[in-house]
Amino acid sequence: MRTIETDVIIIGGGATGAGTVRDLSLRGIRAVLVEKDDIAFGTTGRNHGLLHSGARYAVNDLESARECISENRILKKIAAHCIEDTGGLFVTLPEDERTYHDRLLEGCRQAGIKAEEISAREAFSIEPNLNRSIIRAIKVPDGTIDPFRLAASNVLDAVEHGALILTHTRVTGVIVEGTRVAGITCEKDPGELINIRGRLVINAAGVWGQHICSLAGIELTMYPSKGSMVIIDYRINGVVVNRCRKPSDGDIIVPGDTVSLIGTTSKKIDYDKIEYLNVDDDEIEVLLRDGEKLIPNLSRTRVLRAYCGVRPLVDTPGKQAGGRSISRGIVLIDHEERDGLEGLLTIAGGKLMTYRLMAEMASDMTCLKLGIKAECSTHKQPLPGSETKISPKKHIRAFTGIPESVVGSTLYRHGQRVRNILKKDKKNYRIICECEMVTEGEVEYALKNLNVKDIVDLRRRTRIGMGPCQGELCAYRAAGLFKELGPGNQSVKSSQLLRDFLEERWKGIKPVLWGDSLREAEFTYWIYQGLFGLGDIDFTKRHGPDEGGDR
Amino acid sequence: MNYDCLIVGAGLSGLVCGIRCASEGLRTVIISGGMNALHFSSGSIDLMGYDPSGKVIQSPCRYLKQLEEKKPGHPYSKVGVKTVRESMEFFKKQCGLAGLDLHDNGEENHFHITGLGTMKPSYFSQKSVFNDRLKEAYERKDPIAVLNFDGFRDYFTALTLEQIRGLPLLRGVRITTGKITLPYYFRTERNLHEFRSIDLARVFDSEKYLPRIADEIKKAAGGARIVGLPAFIGIDNFGWIHRRLEDMTGLLIYEVPTLPPSILGMRIDRALKTRFADLGGELSAGDKVFGGEIIDGMLDHVHTENYGSTRHRSRFYVFSTGSFFSGGIRSEFNKIEEPILKLRMSGSQERSKWYSESFFDKKGHPFLSYGVDTGKTLNPYGADGKTVKNLFCVGSILAGYDPIREGSGGGVAISTGYYAAGKIISARKKADLA
Ligand SMILES: Cc1cc2nc3c(=O)[nH]c(=O)nc-3n(C[C@H](O)[C@H](O)[C@H](O)COP(=O)(O)OP(=O)(O)OC[C@H]3O[C@@H](n4cnc5c(N)ncnc54)[C@H](O)[C@@H]3O)c2cc1C
Ligand SMILES: Cc1cc2nc3c(=O)[nH]c(=O)nc-3n(C[C@H](O)[C@H](O)[C@H](O)COP(=O)(O)OP(=O)(O)OC[C@H]3O[C@@H](n4cnc5c(N)ncnc54)[C@H](O)[C@@H]3O)c2cc1C
């Protein structure tokens, strides 16, 4: 068994864990992050990607609203290439309660959020597709944030500052010696066991944090709440559109890259169901019906996928008087203080866009515990890709010869790092995924630098297969490139990676399988089963190493 | 203009039907909207590849006899084995007349190698994909070189190799891969590395480059006797070019179907359209039928998008508009329907029943066998449940079979198209006699 020694161990490669490993690494603290699947596999990769202005919380939860607006401003600086500063609207429909609008304005004022009442006419000029019957509108500094890019660039920076990242590695035990946590045991994908010892363990496993605590013999209760979203085929709105009413189902439409998504629902679920979630038909109906009230064109647009995530809400007994309270805010637990177990922290709750603050809080407490004096710098230090302000014009000039659309999308996804990706070599910039303009160079860069183990991981780094065709042609091409450029002596066949990728895409297509989605699915099935017979390959049989090969 | 036969949809089934009608002197027109499924297919014609347990079928016609009893609702059972056989011969002959030679294995299935290196059973393949000389060479265990153009996106030899080595048929055979450089000498403003199969096929079609390509193939093949190339040895001139390349290299060359567009499928499409035109058939491409009227159990006329209120009339009609993919049937949130006349469908209206949980489920997906319901003579039922006597539905618009699980798409299209033509021809003859 392999043993690794370090100072701090972080469990969970969501935004929170990724932010924490970066923060610690920038402070010069040795850290190892362990993720059972891939970076942003959990809730981080299953939300709206809304860069809240805080306005959504301004009526009910001022503390969260303040956290949001302050982080909103910071992230726009340090994570510019992950963010689109779209702006947002809150709109009131005739059937909505009128006073909510005023309460929202007042809440925003108190929280320091720049919210501006505008006329319906102005709202239409900002968002031409908006329902014409709205009666009032407020403009807020909402934006959008790409969670995959955000988590990946945090990890990239951490690695460049000495951290070790183990993906596809599952924590199977917490090593407790007396009243102290001394490390963890984990298992890498094909049965390889690893011991990691460190001075402190940070549980950043999101909703799975309950399970991690149980491995350490202590109790932490999560209240998993499922939220579903549907993605529609093209970017129907330019700015974030919120319904101005008490938060409820289907009240927000968020643009992102080439698509828009409608969110969300809220359903309590049992903890033991969190691995087996499906989007239900009634959720899709509600989302489409209520989404339609905000933007009427919606029903004529093709629905691409539906997916769901679980909000990691933590039960924090005693925080409020009068019994149990479920916090929607950030929860940092020192288990030494709470349970008498030294060397373990839990950081949970919060939001995607408060990940940096959560990481700062966890890292501050780490320093305190380990007696290290080091300041947080993540609020000033830009993420890799966002080092300087990006000027698309300048880059397009620097890469003359390469189609502008290619430079644009690469720049959009990788910011400054575009220089490590694009080369003036025609093979390098040929398009692999037409829908999302992903080039071979980008795939190669991801395969070599971004810790990619399979095509699903590759999708999270590059958006390959995320567009309208959902991987029809690019899946085969990606599998081929994996074989040519990917990590050597793979134990898994590329055709198996291909099958797994298509199965993963299928999960999100199934719930919306009608109209054009059904057509595309028939096409994809014809190619991969009809033409290639992919489903007939028996992957349980061992295969010998490739002989011969290229000359 | 009054027709004997008006066919909607110029796919495999509509074209076969049209060719047979036209060859008997019927005034035949085909109105067709978009690209047909051949452009995306393997270019081999499957008749019946697998039994319900997924086992490969050796002798499809023998299997179809049993099917007649077990599954009377299957399109093959409706048209009968005899007609299926006849139709396949007819098809082969028609392709031959248009210069497209097909290999058959004497009523047995043969195998062709796919772009993933798996084997698929098929009934007819183009001679550049499979032929007797190749069969013998495989049996002799001649070494194989799997080649590709360096930088062609839609085919990866590495993926073929991964799989092909495990094939029982090729056990003990030396298999290598190799690259030939893209035809850089072919002047183009576009990025050669983004060329699709069709762009490369055009390069092949021009004889000018053959000597250089042959040279490269010889080098890349090393000591191999058999060479596999992605399928783009021309669209127009393929037969001749394939022979020339084999002569120039002294190697056996076979083609592998790649990601769409399918050059192999396009050759069939061209061959059939040429035949149809040669026989005096009329093709109205780029128009779509959007409605029609049924009066007393007879389709009276149809309307097309280009000619709005004009009534197109014919004695007989054939719908060969394809499956969901081609728009012959369509689906909504909780509904499936035949869009032109709302013909009666077979299949569940409940969406959760349409698909299987996993994409590659061994059982396939129920939606693939949804389609228009017909009686034994392939006449559909109108929205009122009454048979439409002068309308036939053929090809993948039909319900009752799963083309992918069975490996039967091509055969059903050909045999049902041929069968409907037969019905129309004999009805026409009867009318003439009367
Ligand atoms: C429907 C919905 C919509 C949302 N919308 C927004 C929004 O618009 N804006 C916003 O800011 N926030 C939003 N959120 C909240 C936000 O998504 C989450 O708060 C945030 O992503 C949580 O990140 P995390 O890193 O704490 O948890 P996660 O992302 O869940 O990360 C935990 C990780 O731990 C890993 N893990 C679990 N067990 C183990 C183990 N045994 N070993 C190793 N690793 C393990 C998991 O695989 C996972 O990757 C939304 C949430 C939901 C559910
Ligand atoms: C992507 C794909 C790959 C396939 N690969 C294979 C394969 O490898 N081997 C195999 O045996 N089978 C394959 N098939 C099965 C295929 O369906 C049949 O083999 C056969 O080609 C179907 O022919 P068809 O004539 O029924 O329909 P199609 O070929 O689908 O043709 C229907 C035509 O009708 C037109 N049309 C539709 N509606 C209208 C309208 N209202 N007005 C006018 N025109 C209209 C369409 O544009 C289209 O051109 C494949 C199918 C698909 C979808």
Side-chain angles (χ1 to χ4, degrees):
Chain A
M1 193 193 303
R2 188 144 74 104
T3 300
I4 298 171
E5 295 276 347
T6 186
D7 288 323
V8 182
I9 299 161
I10 296 133
I11 305 175
T16 311
T20 308
V21 73
R22 174 185 191 234
D23 190 325
L24 292 171
S25 304
L26 290 184
R27 296 188 204 211
I29 299 170
R30 282 194 308 167
V32 176
L33 181 144
V34 183
E35 162 59 50
K36 73 173 156 71
D37 200 280
D38 181 32
I39 302 302
F41 164 82
T43 311
T44 295
R46 299 156 204 255
N47 57 56
H48 307 106
L50 170 64
L51 182 76
H52 287 273
S53 58
R56 278 177 85 82
Y57 303 105
V59 175
N60 296 321
D61 182 354
L62 266 184
E63 189 187 333
S64 290
R66 287 197 181 103
E67 279 167 9
C68 283
I69 189 61
S70 135
E71 286 303 304
N72 177 302
R73 288 179 187 132
I74 293 171
L75 293 184
K76 278 175 186 166
K77 281 195 215 108
I78 67 142
H81 81 289
C82 308
I83 285 173
E84 249 192 89
D85 193 359
T86 58
L89 294 173
F90 274 79
V91 297
T92 307
L93 292 177
E95 70 245 50
D96 295 335
E97 191 212 322
R98 306 283 162 112
T99 61
Y100 200 82
H101 172 98
D102 301 314
R103 288 181 7 230
L104 191 91
L105 277 174
E106 174 55 21
C108 284
R109 200 189 54 76
Q110 283 184 31
I113 302 163
K114 190 167 167 276
E116 188 190 331
E117 167 147 33
I118 58 173
S119 70
R121 276 247 319 273
E122 272 173 275
F124 299 144
S125 76
I126 293 172
E127 192 52 77
N129 286 333
L130 212 53
N131 185 343
R132 293 283 142 169
S133 62
I134 64 161
I135 47 176
R136 307 181 81 177
I138 301 171
K139 203 170 120 192
V140 296
D142 279 348
T144 68
I145 184 159
D146 185 296
F148 303 108
R149 227 169 285 157
L150 181 72
S153 37
N154 271 280
V155 164
L156 183 60
D157 206 23
V159 170
E160 288 177 0
H161 286 87
L164 175 66
I165 310 294
L166 299 172
T167 56
H168 299 275
T169 307
R170 175 187 297 274
V171 176
T172 52
V174 174
I175 306 170
V176 180
E177 292 172 352
T179 58
R180 249 197 100 244
V181 169
I184 55 169
T185 55
C186 37
E187 188 178 357
K188 223 169 146 52
D189 250 355
E192 180 196 351
L193 300 180
I194 308 173
N195 255 347
I196 310 177
R197 299 186 68 87
R199 296 161 68 195
L200 189 81
V201 173
I202 301 178
N203 170 15
V207 71
W208 294 270
Q210 174 170 332
H211 173 66
I212 301 296
C213 281
S214 77
L215 291 177
I218 55 179
E219 220 176 278
L220 177 75
T221 312
M222 289 284 173
Y223 284 93
S225 148
K226 178 179 85 164
S228 294
M229 288 144 285
V230 300
I231 306 188
I232 49 184
D233 183 9
Y234 81 107
R235 188 167 164 142
I236 199 163
N237 51 328
V239 309
V240 177
V241 178
N242 299 272
R243 182 103 172 250
C244 194
R245 65 171 183 199
K246 228 173 79 214
S248 58
D249 292 354
D251 65 355
I252 182 167
I253 304 180
V254 185
D257 273 288
T258 52
V259 297
S260 285
L261 47 94
I262 315 171
T264 170
T265 55
S266 180
K267 273 190 184 177
K268 277 258 132 352
I269 49 165
D270 292 339
Y271 187 80
D272 54 8
K273 299 264 159 59
I274 59 176
E275 302 287 348
Y276 314 98
L277 292 180
N278 285 314
V279 179
D280 306 320
D281 262 9
D282 59 328
E283 291 180 297
I284 291 178
E285 269 187 279
V286 164
L287 290 172
L288 290 177
R289 192 194 61 214
D290 279 27
E292 178 85 22
K293 290 185 185 155
L294 291 172
I295 296 181
N297 300 4
L298 211 84
S299 65
R300 267 174 274 144
T301 312
R302 173 178 159 204
V303 180
L304 261 191
R305 293 175 70 74
Y307 63 104
C308 57
V310 191
R311 294 177 190 84
L313 306 182
V314 191
D315 181 18
T316 51
K319 205 181 169 198
Q320 268 166 26
R324 128 180 159 193
S325 104
I326 300 162
S327 173
R328 283 188 173 264
I330 300 171
V331 176
L332 173 62
I333 302 171
D334 172 5
H335 291 282
E336 181 177 358
E337 193 188 303
R338 180 179 178 265
D339 308 287
L341 185 64
E342 249 178 90
L344 180 67
L345 307 180
T346 290
I347 178 80
K351 284 160 206 64
L352 170 67
M353 55 105 39
T354 58
Y355 88 96
R356 194 212 59 84
L357 177 62
M358 295 165 75
E360 176 177 347
M361 289 162 67
S363 303
D364 280 350
M365 185 169 292
T366 303
C367 287
L368 197 72
K369 291 273 168 193
L370 302 185
I372 298 171
K373 275 218 172 66
E375 294 275 304
C376 176
S377 62
T378 58
H379 54 299
K380 292 185 302 224
Q381 186 85 5
L383 285 164
S386 288
E387 290 90 346
T388 53
K389 212 169 154 52
I390 293 161
S391 141
K393 274 217 192 87
K394 223 175 78 198
H395 279 94
I396 285 167
R397 228 179 301 125
F399 291 109
T400 341
I402 305 182
E404 280 184 25
S405 51
V406 169
V407 181
S409 336
T410 317
L411 197 60
Y412 183 77
R413 283 192 287 269
H414 299 275
Q416 292 285 311
R417 295 284 159 127
V418 69
R419 295 185 182 283
N420 307 33
I421 298 174
L422 285 179
K423 295 185 206 108
K424 284 190 186 174
D425 151 14
K426 286 195 167 173
K427 183 149 183 271
N428 171 278
Y429 65 74
R430 66 172 169 164
I431 306 280
I432 296 302
C433 167
E434 271 103 350
C435 303
E436 298 287 341
M437 300 292 256
V438 181
T439 59
E440 170 159 339
E442 187 173 346
V443 170
E444 182 172 3
Y445 170 78
L447 285 175
K448 293 191 171 146
N449 300 288
L450 301 180
N451 214 339
V452 171
K453 298 281 194 303
D454 52 39
I455 308 175
V456 183
D457 293 4
L458 188 64
R459 169 183 69 81
R460 295 195 190 92
R461 306 296 187 279
T462 64
R463 288 189 66 82
I464 203 162
M466 286 171 96
C469 87
Q470 296 283 295
E472 239 157 52
L473 305 179
C474 63
Y476 174 83
R477 295 175 184 157
L481 289 180
F482 226 97
K483 192 82 199 171
E484 285 186 356
L485 309 167
N489 63 46
Q490 283 172 54
S491 57
V492 186
K493 282 189 179 181
S494 292
S495 41
Q496 183 168 0
L497 300 181
L498 180 56
R499 192 192 60 180
D500 294 348
F501 175 74
L502 291 166
E503 284 293 355
E504 190 275 341
R505 293 280 81 191
W506 182 238
K507 281 187 201 151
I509 297 169
K510 263 186 304 190
V512 299
L513 195 71
W514 72 85
D516 285 335
S517 294
L518 179 61
R519 265 194 84 230
E520 293 284 354
E522 185 184 351
F523 186 42
T524 308
Y525 193 65
W526 260 111
I527 294 179
Y528 290 97
Q529 182 57 24
L531 202 57
F532 292 150
L534 181 54
D536 302 336
I537 302 177
D538 180 1
F539 292 109
T540 57
K541 270 199 229 139
R542 294 286 310 156
H543 65 105
D546 288 356
E547 309 128 34
D550 283 309
R551 268 172 304 215
Chain B
M1 177 96 181
N2 248 326
Y3 294 100
D4 294 316
C5 178
L6 186 155
I7 300 169
V8 188
L12 183 55
S13 63
L15 285 167
V16 167
C17 183
I19 290 172
R20 191 173 179 202
C21 286
S23 71
E24 295 283 332
L26 268 57
R27 284 221 316 258
T28 310
V29 63
I30 308 182
I31 301 173
S32 192
M35 269 200 256
N36 61 34
L38 286 168
H39 290 80
F40 310 93
S41 71
S42 65
S44 284
I45 299 293
D46 307 337
L47 182 55
M48 198 71 182
Y50 306 93
D51 73 9
S53 71
K55 229 182 79 208
V56 169
I57 292 169
Q58 286 292 326
S59 176
C61 289
R62 214 179 306 146
Y63 181 85
L64 292 191
K65 281 221 185 74
Q66 304 163 21
L67 194 77
E68 268 183 6
E69 279 160 40
K70 272 190 252 160
K71 272 191 162 180
H74 195 289
Y76 282 143
S77 307
K78 288 181 180 165
V79 307
V81 187
K82 193 170 150 275
T83 307
V84 173
R85 265 212 183 91
E86 244 174 67
S87 70
M88 296 310 271
E89 275 317 304
F90 177 82
F91 176 76
K92 191 176 166 212
K93 191 169 146 225
Q94 295 300 325
C95 286
L97 288 171
L100 181 80
D101 288 334
L102 297 177
H103 169 83
D104 73 38
N105 204 21
E107 297 223 336
E108 302 264 297
N109 277 328
H110 65 275
F111 289 92
H112 70 263
I113 299 171
T114 73
L116 260 194
T118 53
M119 289 273 200
K120 281 253 154 195
S122 218
Y123 195 71
F124 289 141
S125 278
Q126 291 169 37
K127 287 242 161 102
S128 54
V129 171
F130 199 79
N131 57 48
D132 288 329
R133 288 187 304 136
L134 264 171
K135 191 172 153 192
E136 287 157 20
Y138 285 138
E139 281 161 5
R140 277 199 307 270
K141 309 253 173 233
D142 280 356
I144 303 175
V146 186
L147 306 185
N148 188 20
F149 279 111
D150 188 17
F152 176 60
R153 294 177 298 178
D154 290 341
Y155 176 67
F156 281 83
T157 54
L159 292 178
T160 307
L161 201 67
E162 208 181 63
Q163 215 36 57
I164 202 176
R165 290 225 164 92
L167 296 176
L169 179 72
L170 300 179
R171 199 162 288 145
V173 176
R174 196 169 73 94
I175 306 171
T176 52
T177 59
K179 287 179 182 148
I180 35 190
T181 48
L182 279 164
Y184 54 89
Y185 36 81
F186 176 76
R187 283 171 174 275
T188 173
E189 288 291 297
R190 292 174 44 211
N191 188 345
L192 268 178
H193 300 275
E194 288 177 1
F195 264 36
R196 304 295 296 265
S197 52
I198 183 156
D199 306 309
L200 285 163
R202 287 202 186 104
V203 178
F204 267 91
D205 260 338
S206 141
E207 294 164 31
K208 206 163 107 196
Y209 304 112
L210 278 188
R212 299 174 91 141
I213 294 174
D215 241 24
E216 291 228 24
I217 292 176
K218 240 177 13 205
K219 259 188 255 146
R225 296 283 314 131
I226 309 175
V227 161
L229 276 185
F232 36 58
I233 308 185
I235 307 177
D236 294 322
N237 222 354
F238 50 89
W240 187 84
I241 290 180
H242 183 240
R243 278 194 302 277
R244 282 287 289 151
L245 270 185
E246 290 201 330
D247 288 348
M248 288 161 100
T249 56
L251 299 165
L252 285 175
I253 296 175
Y254 71 91
E255 291 187 287
V256 185
T258 64
L259 285 185
S262 162
I263 301 301
L264 291 161
M266 287 159 81
R267 289 180 195 157
I268 299 182
D269 178 69
R270 290 207 174 180
L272 296 177
K273 285 185 179 149
T274 307
R275 273 312 285 157
F276 182 60
D278 287 352
L279 291 165
E282 192 183 316
L283 177 64
S284 162
D287 198 2
K288 276 194 105 165
V289 171
F290 68 86
E293 198 183 353
I294 301 170
I295 302 172
D296 289 337
M298 300 286 269
L299 180 54
D300 186 70
H301 60 266
V302 293
H303 295 289
T304 71
E305 281 176 1
N306 290 357
Y307 297 96
S309 58
T310 308
R311 297 176 166 188
H312 302 263
R313 286 209 160 87
S314 172
R315 290 201 193 175
F316 292 95
Y317 297 84
V318 176
F319 280 6
S320 47
T321 43
S323 58
F324 294 104
F325 179 73
S326 293
I329 50 178
R330 78 173 168 217
S331 65
E332 284 171 29
F333 189 69
N334 255 334
K335 178 163 124 190
I336 50 171
E337 65 177 16
E338 186 285 312
I340 302 176
L341 296 175
K342 311 282 180 285
L343 298 170
R344 195 168 90 189
M345 296 281 294
S346 158
S348 173
Q349 292 292 345
E350 207 181 308
R351 184 156 48 87
S352 60
K353 301 246 163 70
W354 297 355
Y355 54 85
S356 294
E357 277 310 305
S358 64
F359 194 55
F360 291 108
D361 193 304
K362 288 275 177 252
K363 291 194 304 295
H365 297 286
F367 75 81
L368 287 163
S369 49
Y370 292 178
V372 169
D373 192 14
T374 70
K376 187 142 172 51
T377 48
L378 303 187
N379 300 108
Y381 307 97
D384 58 1
K386 289 205 191 104
T387 304
V388 190
K389 288 182 273 229
N390 66 337
L391 171 63
F392 297 87
C393 286
V394 302
S396 52
I397 189 181
L398 289 172
Y401 75 107
D402 179 335
I404 301 186
R405 251 187 99 215
E406 297 173 354
S408 62
V412 168
I414 292 169
S415 60
T416 53
Y418 178 86
Y419 171 88
K423 286 273 159 200
I424 293 168
I425 292 161
S426 62
R428 175 63 220 261
K429 277 188 183 147
K430 250 185 241 155
D432 279 353
L433 287 177

